[in-house]
Amino acid sequence: MQTVTYIRRFLLAAMLFGMLPSFSSPANAYQAPATASPAAHPETIEWVYRVRYGFHDEWFDLFRKYQLAILDRQKQLGYVLSYTVWAPSLHTSEESRWDYRIVITRASHDAPPGQSEAEVAKQLFPDQAAFRKDENRRWELTTNHWDLPIHEVDPNKAE
């Protein structure tokens, strides 16, 4: 009987001091880290930018400071699996001109809680007024932009 009392006291003390999980409330239950749902599939998207002539350096400095920092953080968190920044090696006609393409592969379409672009931007750049000012400047220097979900095609697979 004394052993049972001792075990009860030990368990109660352990629960009070957080040494054992409490099973009485779902809020205290173990929660696994946020990951993509089993039904989620990786998504590849391409950001394409055309920049005003004469402003490429300023545009890319702003892009690197904010957008690439956000992508790097999302990669650390696991939402972004990879990204590559591309620039053309030769010039094209004006109507088909592009200056930067960023090909991003994400773990899923929807970001896990706390990992969206806006949420990460708030975490990385607490001075949101400066962030918005610089991002507005980058958009002033952008003459054309589109986001394009893309997918790999297997040429050997029958449609």
Side-chain angles (χ1 to χ4, degrees), residues 71-86:
L71 287 171
D72 285 337
R73 180 64 181 139
Q74 289 177 316
K75 191 172 177 182
Q76 290 172 348
L77 295 170
Y79 174 51
V80 168
L81 302 176
S82 66
Y83 74 87
T84 306
V85 179
W86 297 88

Side-chain angles (χ1 to χ4, degrees), residues 79-101:
Y79 174 51
V80 168
L81 302 176
S82 66
Y83 74 87
T84 306
V85 179
W86 297 88
S89 298
L90 298 171
H91 62 85
T92 64
S93 63
E94 184 59 28
E95 61 273 0
S96 62
R97 179 175 74 87
W98 58 273
D99 296 302
Y100 296 101
R101 291 179 185 260

Side-chain angles (χ1 to χ4, degrees), residues 70 74 77 79 110-123:
I70 291 168
Q74 289 177 316
L77 295 170
Y79 174 51
D110 296 318
Q115 296 184 31
S116 71
E117 185 176 335
E119 292 167 312
V120 170
K122 287 178 184 172
Q123 296 164 16

Side-chain angles (χ1 to χ4, degrees), residues 14-75:
M15 287 177 73
L16 288 173
F17 292 105
M19 296 168 62
L20 292 176
S22 170
F23 299 104
S24 61
S25 167
N28 295 331
Y30 171 77
Q31 292 183 359
T35 58
S37 68
H41 299 286
E43 173 187 67
T44 302
I45 189 164
E46 181 179 52
W47 296 346
V48 183
Y49 296 93
R50 184 184 304 170
V51 179
R52 281 176 41 195
Y53 285 112
F55 293 93
H56 288 83
D57 291 341
E58 181 183 358
W59 186 94
F60 195 75
D61 287 345
L62 291 168
F63 188 80
R64 180 186 302 123
K65 181 178 181 179
Y66 295 109
Q67 293 301 311
L68 294 184
I70 291 168
L71 287 171
D72 285 337
R73 180 64 181 139
Q74 289 177 316
K75 191 172 177 182

